[in-house]
Amino acid sequence: MSDDDTAETAATSENLVELAKRRGYFFQSSGAYGGVGGFYTFGPQGAALKGNVEDAWRDRFAVAEGNMEIDAPTIMPEPVFEASGHLDGFDDMLVECPECGESHRADHVVEDETEYEDAEGLPIPEVEEVIAKYELVCPSCGAGLAGQAVETFNLMFETNIGPGDSDPGYLRPETAQGIFVEFPRLKEYARNQLPFGVTQIGRAYRNEISPRRSIIRTREFTQAELEYFIDPETDEPDLESVADVEVTLYPASEQNEEGGEEIETTIGAAVEDGTLDPWIAYYLGVAREWYAALGVDMDRFRYRQHLAGERSHYASDCWDAEAELDGNWIELAGFSDRGAYDLSKHDEYSDDRFTIFRQYDEPKTVERAVVDPDMSYLGPEFGGAAGDVVDELEDLAARDRSAFEGDSVEIDLEGETHEIPVEKTGFAVEEQTEAGEHIVPHVIEPSFGVDRLVYTVLHHAYREDEVDGEERTYLELEPEVAPTFVGVFPLQSDDALETEANEIVDDLRAAGLSVTYDDSGNIGRRYRRQDEVGTPFCVTVDFETIENEATTVTVRERDTTEQKRLPVEDLAETLAAIRAGDLSFDEL
Amino acid sequence: MSDDDTAETAATSENLVELAKRRGYFFQSSGAYGGVGGFYTFGPQGAALKGNVEDAWRDRFAVAEGNMEIDAPTIMPEPVFEASGHLDGFDDMLVECPECGESHRADHVVEDETEYEDAEGLPIPEVEEVIAKYELVCPSCGAGLAGQAVETFNLMFETNIGPGDSDPGYLRPETAQGIFVEFPRLKEYARNQLPFGVTQIGRAYRNEISPRRSIIRTREFTQAELEYFIDPETDEPDLESVADVEVTLYPASEQNEEGGEEIETTIGAAVEDGTLDPWIAYYLGVAREWYAALGVDMDRFRYRQHLAGERSHYASDCWDAEAELDGNWIELAGFSDRGAYDLSKHDEYSDDRFTIFRQYDEPKTVERAVVDPDMSYLGPEFGGAAGDVVDELEDLAARDRSAFEGDSVEIDLEGETHEIPVEKTGFAVEEQTEAGEHIVPHVIEPSFGVDRLVYTVLHHAYREDEVDGEERTYLELEPEVAPTFVGVFPLQSDDALETEANEIVDDLRAAGLSVTYDDSGNIGRRYRRQDEVGTPFCVTVDFETIENEATTVTVRERDTTEQKRLPVEDLAETLAAIRAGDLSFDEL
């Protein structure tokens, strides 16, 4: 018998990746053609696990929070990324080896071989200097890289929409832009009321120079993002609901300090002492509970604040959720305050308004300078340009009232200066009543990487132990994410056993459980196969089942390998109760 | 009161598209930047409906059929599409207007303005002739197109993987290739046993020259595909389970015949009389039942066989599921017999084997010609080329035994002929026992378009009627696909009503129902809003609810607008039973 406490948490990426391939979790795509770096296929087990993670995210961050979910295209036209800043700023530093021609991320070469920890933040000339000074070499062939130009490389995949190359399109580098660009319509669905949230689960793409570490840094991946639109002056999160959640925080101040440390605290206390802003704090609290329920080991989990040089071009503050794997911390999610950046940019670059109308508590009376030009004067004087003159006068009145203090007003029209008598402009300062103003909402963004989470859940669930003198590998997956909840086996090849087992499969499926049927190989091998894919329970139909009047089956629990006989009659109900968390195997 | 029989099925694409935009089903993407043809965003209602359709497909075609589901990347490397034939053959005919520069599909220009019905099948010179002969003009600006070259245009979106352009990649034109290319691994998960099926739901891309008709022909869309791998000699489908399913068939023979007609028959009868092949017949039967359950109007549904010139390069037979919209038939799904085409191609082009081992019923004894050359002779004679000589001799023995009948054997080595004494080749004919052979499985492919189905479900559900003298629009969506199953309203703004209504929302959600809460506007407007998005039921909490001891609420049915008072206590259970199809509103 195995005991949970003695089971070793023995995952290394090497043995996890081997198990993932052999058992159908994930593997590099197009292997028959030698594979391509950064593209992975989820096999039957992996697709199911990934689907369960996505469903759990949807339940928590869309349904339970009352947010809307949308589904936008992955290809978007160039103007979107001109506005978002990705076309100009979404770059990595590239250095090409003069010998073998391989391209490498210059900042990674520097970080791997020097004491620099955040080379991404350095200016290009400095990176070139460091490469020369340390005589850094090509990681592939060992040739010297000194003197090679370091260039920026845009990480978006580019393509052409329609025939010819007049309409460039890009694969979105984040699902977020598919939400931002539709804000003018989405706000109508929210009936023009802040706050509201919009979620999306879907593919995003980054043309990494050197993809790394299995499904951790790929070129095509799945994001689950929430864009929560708030009025920064009035909207507040429901902090009370997460105040007691315990978290490990690693703020920028501690990272910058010699001997700085992670802090164990609660969400409530961290907001109180100013470590966290309330909106980010709220989502850190919600996410901490969510990650724990999915099986991420909370002893190997923390929130780390970005350093100033590390933040994306759009973020005013950002915290990452990080998990420890093989002694390294990897990013699972980012929680950013994107401020008014994105909506302001799209408001500026597009023809639509990316604002929302904020009603004042009481209407305000404001003074406003207006003009009402005498067209019987402007018409004959300016002909077809009279309309432009009116526009100029309106602009000027709004901009600079003092221009109307003399006898005449000067305006510029296509490079020429014209004088217009003030009495012909109809200038006046009027009192107007305003019900509210148009504001650009701020955006709080919890952004989750799904593939990395799948990897982490598997890594943290990987166990090795010994059962009956034999080594065993199993995945201690939570029932909520396990691809299969129960395996059903006839003890041996026999019509009566197989018929009964198939009936049980139908019953369990009707109860909403994910079931697999297996009649191949000896029973020990079948248990081992389910252990390796992380199936929490196995049901075996033996001759006692079909011979007894009170029909019973053996139910085996994965982690302890303990077996109990249970009546077939209540089986579906009992297992469904365990799945729902209302009952435990121990209580049976 | 409305009556189902009097409600008009009044959808035209125009009013459906307007409702879809206003109510959050779907709309053209990036509208703030003028939009881009062929890209659509699903809003909150549309994303939910699409998700329900995908879940229903997964339940039927993956889970219930016992098939595996995988999740592969959308970008694939060039060699995959060299092998699949898409790089060479996945083209449309393009003609560019000499005046306005707009590109058009030449076959569409021909079909729209002449009596030609299937111009896609014509050779390019003939299309050019037809354009000249009929003096066809540019659909955008009216300029003459005669004399313009018609060119082929590959429909795959191209991009580059990694820096530089040495690794072209393509957005997959069908999810299928992500399955085929992984066959060597997938067959292991199936334990090398045929038949087995692999499904995938995901994005596919076609760079259409002129995208058309809302979400019917887009450049980025979602497919749900099943690739079912069979041994064509031994595997048979479970025809009995679908034999009685009634279908409307439009075989190629009827289409080719003057006055040919659709045939009303059953799956069983159509297989019997040779109209359908068994495997395609099986999936037509399953899909017919599935489409009906989703709300596709079976009076506007048929299966049409492809004409010989219309079939894809890979298909030996193909039937489309078609739905009628605005008087046109559109394709919802294709059911193809792809034969051994795809796996043979990948077997030929890649380094892996795309075969499966078929065991003979009994081991066979076969005669095989072998060689066992004398290396003490070949070594000194040929030096470093001795190995190549052995290879040549092995090939020759397998190819042509008679070559070994004389005293010496002639072989070619780099253009030179050499003679080798037969006694030095060790030639012999041996008896060998073989347990089986390696075969290339055949593929049966049911391939579903998800976006088109979403459109059809909405189109066929669109109704207009009159309620209390007012015109009403509603969607008669099946509960299985409706974005929301029940709307909950407090009758008016009141703390007690709102508290009770929110408790009911929580109860219904806990019972697994999709619920929306609405307290804005008068009750009639709220009903109308839910009618327009197709919510089957609305629950209203009024003062009777909170004043009475036996608390009750009003439940209103969408199609009839009939209302009944039901106790709050049983509400969740009652509605869940209706949702599951175990109870009807009439029976309450």
Side-chain angles (χ1 to χ4, degrees):
Chain A
M1 280 290 144
S2 159
D3 179 339
D4 218 8
D5 295 334
T6 67
E8 242 183 297
T9 306
T12 62
S13 286
E14 203 174 320
N15 51 22
L16 176 60
V17 163
E18 188 276 326
L19 181 144
K21 192 164 163 178
R22 183 164 41 84
R23 285 298 179 208
Y25 271 103
F26 55 81
F27 49 83
Q28 195 178 17
S29 303
S30 303
Y33 293 96
V36 197
F39 294 96
Y40 280 78
T41 294
F42 289 92
Q45 306 295 338
L49 171 54
K50 181 167 174 261
N52 290 342
V53 166
E54 290 173 9
D55 286 346
W57 192 89
R58 176 176 292 118
D59 283 348
R60 185 64 194 89
F61 291 92
V63 180
E65 296 279 308
N67 296 322
M68 307 187 250
E69 179 174 358
I70 71 162
D71 186 6
T74 57
I75 299 180
M76 301 182 78
E78 186 161 87
V80 171
F81 299 111
E82 270 166 13
S84 73
H86 286 90
L87 205 57
D88 269 348
F90 192 60
D91 299 323
D92 271 349
M93 282 182 269
L94 178 150
V95 62
E96 200 178 303
C97 173
E99 290 297 323
C100 71
E102 192 87 1
S103 295
H104 303 282
R105 270 188 68 168
D107 52 328
H108 284 178
V109 171
V110 167
E111 284 169 13
D112 290 350
E113 299 298 329
T114 72
E115 76 279 12
Y116 285 92
E117 278 178 9
D118 185 25
E120 200 177 348
L122 299 177
I124 282 187
E126 201 172 330
V127 173
E128 288 175 336
E129 271 169 40
V130 173
I131 289 174
K133 181 176 153 203
Y134 286 81
E135 299 179 346
L136 299 182
V137 299
C138 170
S140 305
C141 76
L145 294 173
Q148 285 297 101
V150 171
E151 288 171 352
T152 56
F153 173 66
N154 193 292
L155 296 182
M156 288 196 293
F157 282 100
E158 187 178 354
T159 191
N160 289 303
I161 301 172
D165 54 9
S166 58
D167 274 326
Y170 297 87
L171 289 166
R172 63 185 180 196
E174 51 176 5
T175 63
Q177 294 303 327
I179 296 174
F180 295 141
V181 80
E182 307 304 349
F183 180 81
R185 193 166 309 285
L186 296 171
K187 77 173 180 186
E188 285 172 27
Y189 302 147
R191 295 186 212 144
N192 298 300
Q193 298 290 317
L194 291 178
F196 70 92
V198 183
T199 70
Q200 190 172 194
I201 303 175
R203 295 293 166 97
Y205 302 80
R206 297 187 188 180
N207 200 3
E208 299 284 351
I209 295 168
S210 14
R212 282 183 181 197
R213 303 187 66 194
S214 177
I215 58 172
I216 305 270
R217 187 192 288 276
T218 55
R219 287 171 163 151
E220 174 174 350
F221 48 96
T222 299
Q223 286 188 319
E225 297 196 305
L226 161 61
E227 310 304 324
Y228 201 73
F229 300 99
I230 60 166
D231 181 335
E233 286 187 18
T234 57
D235 292 325
E236 284 174 13
D238 175 20
L239 271 180
E240 210 178 308
S241 64
V242 292
D244 296 335
V245 174
E246 292 175 3
V247 283
T248 305
L249 300 181
Y250 195 25
S253 56
E254 292 291 322
Q255 296 167 60
N256 284 328
E257 204 170 298
E258 187 89 31
E261 279 186 348
E262 294 163 5
I263 299 165
E264 306 290 335
T265 182
T266 63
I267 294 291
V271 172
E272 197 102 326
D273 68 19
T275 308
L276 293 177
D277 283 331
W279 275 107
I280 286 184
Y282 172 72
Y283 288 110
L284 296 189
V286 171
R288 158 66 171 77
E289 300 291 84
W290 184 77
Y291 277 123
L294 254 58
V296 175
D297 180 356
M298 285 298 126
D299 292 335
R300 298 195 270 164
F301 180 85
R302 71 181 184 188
Y303 288 119
R304 187 182 68 79
Q305 189 176 25
H306 279 202
L307 300 170
E310 187 186 357
R311 284 198 298 264
S312 300
H313 58 276
Y314 49 72
S316 58
D317 187 17
C318 182
W319 288 74
D320 282 350
E322 295 187 331
E324 185 267 317
L325 303 176
D326 302 331
N328 302 308
W329 289 97
I330 66 137
E331 177 193 347
L332 289 183
F335 300 79
S336 302
D337 180 350
R338 296 178 76 132
Y341 178 85
D342 302 278
L343 298 186
S344 298
K345 284 285 187 177
H346 287 302
D347 192 77
E348 183 189 339
Y349 279 71
S350 80
D351 295 333
D352 266 0
R353 296 193 77 168
F354 286 70
T355 56
I356 216 158
F357 188 71
R358 172 162 66 194
Q359 198 139 12
Y360 295 135
D361 292 340
E362 286 177 26
K364 280 186 190 170
T365 305
V366 292
E367 283 195 341
R368 203 168 290 283
V370 296
V371 291
D372 182 13
D374 181 351
M375 294 310 285
S376 68
Y377 166 80
L378 291 187
E381 198 77 7
F382 291 95
D388 295 341
V389 175
V390 173
D391 290 348
E392 282 295 313
L393 288 171
E394 280 173 354
D395 283 359
L396 188 60
R399 209 167 59 230
D400 179 15
R401 292 180 195 179
S402 66
F404 294 82
E405 281 168 5
D407 287 342
S408 65
V409 185
E410 273 189 9
I411 60 159
D412 274 341
L413 210 60
E414 293 180 352
E416 275 183 48
T417 305
H418 300 270
E419 295 232 338
I420 298 165
V422 166
E423 81 260 20
K424 302 292 185 193
T425 65
F427 176 81
V429 175
E430 289 179 355
E431 286 205 339
Q432 291 185 347
T433 304
E434 291 186 349
E437 62 186 326
H438 292 275
I439 63 155
V440 178
H442 281 211
V443 174
I444 307 296
E445 177 191 77
S447 167
F448 291 67
V450 174
D451 313 71
R452 290 166 170 218
L453 178 51
V454 165
Y455 192 93
T456 302
V457 162
L458 289 171
H459 201 284
H460 285 190
Y462 188 99
R463 305 278 183 278
E464 287 175 358
D465 65 359
E466 224 173 73
V467 176
D468 302 333
E470 272 186 48
E471 282 186 12
R472 175 178 81 134
T473 300
Y474 68 102
L475 298 177
E476 199 176 312
L477 295 174
E478 293 293 329
E480 188 169 5
V481 296
T484 304
F485 182 67
V486 53
V488 176
F489 316 143
L491 181 66
Q492 61 191 62
S493 185
D494 175 281
D495 278 352
L497 293 182
E498 285 165 13
T499 304
E500 177 68 26
N502 274 305
E503 275 171 24
I504 290 175
V505 168
D506 291 344
D507 278 0
L508 297 180
R509 284 200 177 136
L513 299 174
S514 157
V515 186
T516 194
Y517 174 88
D518 189 359
D519 58 9
S520 119
N522 73 52
I523 201 78
R525 251 180 85 180
R526 284 181 263 169
Y527 282 144
R528 213 63 97 246
R529 221 180 264 147
Q530 294 306 319
D531 288 344
E532 273 205 328
V533 297
T535 305
F537 296 99
C538 289
V539 168
T540 300
V541 177
D542 54 23
F543 289 103
E544 226 181 297
T545 309
I546 51 177
E547 280 159 11
N548 280 16
E549 282 197 19
T551 323
T552 61
V553 289
T554 303
V555 179
R556 172 184 178 273
E557 201 269 337
R558 175 193 61 202
D559 306 337
T560 59
T561 73
E562 196 184 336
Q563 306 194 5
K564 294 184 179 179
R565 282 203 83 86
L566 295 182
V568 171
E569 210 182 15
D570 318 331
L571 189 65
E573 204 181 326
T574 304
L575 288 174
I578 294 179
R579 172 76 177 77
D582 298 334
L583 187 71
S584 77
F585 187 72
D586 285 347
E587 289 165 358
L588 295 180
Chain B
M1 280 290 147
S2 156
D3 178 340
D4 218 10
D5 296 332
T6 67
E8 243 182 298
T9 305
T12 61
S13 286
E14 203 175 318
N15 52 22
L16 176 61
V17 164
E18 187 278 324
L19 180 145
K21 191 165 164 178
R22 182 163 43 83
R23 286 298 180 208
Y25 271 102
F26 55 82
F27 49 84
Q28 195 179 17
S29 302
S30 304
Y33 293 95
V36 196
F39 294 95
Y40 280 78
T41 294
F42 289 91
Q45 306 295 340
L49 171 54
K50 181 167 175 263
N52 290 343
V53 166
E54 290 172 9
D55 286 346
W57 192 89
R58 176 176 292 118
D59 283 348
R60 186 65 194 88
F61 292 91
V63 179
E65 296 281 307
N67 296 322
M68 308 188 250
E69 179 174 357
I70 71 161
D71 186 7
T74 58
I75 299 179
M76 301 182 79
E78 186 161 86
V80 172
F81 299 111
E82 271 167 11
S84 73
H86 286 92
L87 205 58
D88 269 349
F90 193 59
D91 299 324
D92 272 349
M93 283 182 270
L94 179 152
V95 61
E96 200 179 303
C97 171
E99 290 296 323
C100 72
E102 193 87 3
S103 295
H104 303 283
R105 269 188 69 168
D107 52 328
H108 284 178
V109 171
V110 167
E111 284 169 14
D112 291 350
E113 300 298 328
T114 71
E115 74 279 13
Y116 285 91
E117 276 178 11
D118 186 24
E120 201 178 349
L122 299 177
I124 282 186
E126 199 173 329
V127 173
E128 288 174 338
E129 271 169 40
V130 173
I131 288 175
K133 180 178 154 200
Y134 287 81
E135 297 180 348
L136 299 181
V137 299
C138 170
S140 305
C141 76
L145 293 173
Q148 285 297 102
V150 171
E151 287 171 352
T152 56
F153 173 67
N154 194 291
L155 296 182
M156 287 196 294
F157 282 100
E158 186 178 355
T159 191
N160 289 302
I161 301 172
D165 53 10
S166 57
D167 274 325
Y170 297 86
L171 290 165
R172 60 184 181 196
E174 52 175 4
T175 63
Q177 293 304 326
I179 296 174
F180 295 140
V181 78
E182 306 305 349
F183 180 82
R185 194 166 307 288
L186 296 171
K187 77 172 179 185
E188 284 173 28
Y189 302 149
R191 293 183 214 147
N192 298 299
Q193 297 291 318
L194 290 178
F196 70 92
V198 183
T199 71
Q200 189 172 195
I201 301 174
R203 296 294 166 95
Y205 302 80
R206 296 187 189 181
N207 199 3
E208 300 284 352
I209 295 168
S210 14
R212 284 182 179 198
R213 304 187 66 194
S214 179
I215 56 173
I216 304 270
R217 186 192 288 276
T218 56
R219 286 170 164 151
E220 175 174 349
F221 49 97
T222 299
Q223 287 186 319
E225 297 196 304
L226 160 60
E227 310 305 324
Y228 201 71
F229 300 99
I230 60 166
D231 181 334
E233 287 187 17
T234 57
D235 291 326
E236 284 174 13
D238 176 19
L239 271 180
E240 210 180 308
S241 64
V242 293
D244 297 333
V245 174
E246 293 175 3
V247 283
T248 305
L249 299 182
Y250 195 24
S253 55
E254 293 290 324
Q255 297 168 58
N256 284 328
E257 205 170 299
E258 186 89 29
E261 279 187 347
E262 293 163 7
I263 300 166
E264 305 292 333
T265 182
T266 63
I267 293 292
V271 172
E272 198 103 328
D273 67 20
T275 308
L276 293 177
D277 282 331
W279 274 107
I280 286 185
Y282 172 72
Y283 287 111
L284 296 189
V286 171
R288 157 67 171 77
E289 301 291 85
W290 184 78
Y291 277 125
L294 254 57
V296 174
D297 181 355
M298 285 298 127
D299 293 335
R300 298 194 270 163
F301 179 84
R302 70 180 184 190
Y303 288 119
R304 187 181 69 79
Q305 189 176 24
H306 278 204
L307 300 170
E310 189 186 356
R311 286 198 297 264
S312 300
H313 58 278
Y314 49 72
S316 57
D317 186 18
C318 183
W319 288 75
D320 282 350
E322 295 188 331
E324 185 268 316
L325 302 176
D326 303 331
N328 302 307
W329 289 98
I330 66 137
E331 177 192 349
L332 288 183
F335 299 80
S336 303
D337 180 350
R338 297 178 75 132
Y341 178 84
D342 302 279
L343 298 188
S344 297
K345 284 286 189 178
H346 287 302
D347 191 77
E348 181 188 340
Y349 279 72
S350 80
D351 295 332
D352 266 0
R353 295 193 76 169
F354 287 69
T355 56
I356 214 156
F357 188 71
R358 171 161 67 192
Q359 197 139 13
Y360 296 134
D361 292 339
E362 285 177 29
K364 281 185 190 169
T365 305
V366 292
E367 283 194 341
R368 204 168 287 285
V370 297
V371 292
D372 181 17
D374 179 353
M375 295 309 285
S376 69
Y377 167 79
L378 291 185
E381 196 79 7
F382 292 94
D388 295 340
V389 174
V390 173
D391 290 346
E392 282 297 313
L393 288 171
E394 280 172 354
D395 284 359
L396 187 61
R399 209 166 58 231
D400 178 17
R401 292 179 196 182
S402 65
F404 293 83
E405 282 168 5
D407 287 342
S408 65
V409 185
E410 274 190 7
I411 61 161
D412 275 341
L413 210 61
E414 292 180 353
E416 274 181 50
T417 305
H418 301 270
E419 297 229 339
I420 298 166
V422 166
E423 82 259 22
K424 303 291 185 193
T425 65
F427 176 81
V429 175
E430 289 180 354
E431 286 207 335
Q432 291 185 349
T433 303
E434 291 187 347
E437 62 187 327
H438 293 275
I439 63 155
V440 178
H442 282 211
V443 175
I444 306 297
E445 177 192 76
S447 166
F448 291 68
V450 173
D451 313 72
R452 291 166 168 217
L453 177 52
V454 165
Y455 192 91
T456 301
V457 161
L458 289 170
H459 201 284
H460 285 191
Y462 188 100
R463 304 278 182 278
E464 287 176 359
D465 65 358
E466 225 174 71
V467 175
D468 302 333
E470 271 185 50
E471 282 185 11
R472 174 178 82 132
T473 300
Y474 68 101
L475 297 177
E476 201 175 309
L477 294 175
E478 293 293 329
E480 188 169 4
V481 296
T484 304
F485 181 68
V486 52
V488 177
F489 317 144
L491 182 66
Q492 60 190 64
S493 185
D494 175 281
D495 278 353
L497 293 181
E498 286 164 14
T499 304
E500 178 68 25
N502 273 305
E503 276 172 23
I504 289 174
V505 168
D506 291 343
D507 278 1
L508 297 179
R509 284 199 178 136
L513 300 173
S514 156
V515 187
T516 193
Y517 174 88
D518 189 359
D519 59 8
S520 120
N522 72 52
I523 201 80
R525 253 179 85 179
R526 282 182 265 168
Y527 282 143
R528 212 63 95 247
R529 220 178 266 148
Q530 294 307 319
D531 288 345
E532 273 204 327
V533 297
T535 304
F537 296 98
C538 288
V539 168
T540 301
V541 177
D542 54 22
F543 289 103
E544 227 180 299
T545 310
I546 53 177
E547 280 161 11
N548 280 17
E549 281 197 22
T551 323
T552 60
V553 288
T554 303
V555 178
R556 172 185 178 272
E557 202 269 339
R558 175 194 62 203
D559 307 336
T560 58
T561 75
E562 196 185 337
Q563 306 194 4
K564 294 184 178 178
R565 283 205 83 85
L566 295 181
V568 171
E569 210 181 14
D570 318 331
L571 189 65
E573 204 181 327
T574 305
L575 288 174
I578 294 178
R579 173 77 176 76
D582 299 333
L583 188 71
S584 78
F585 187 73
D586 284 348
E587 291 165 354
L588 294 180

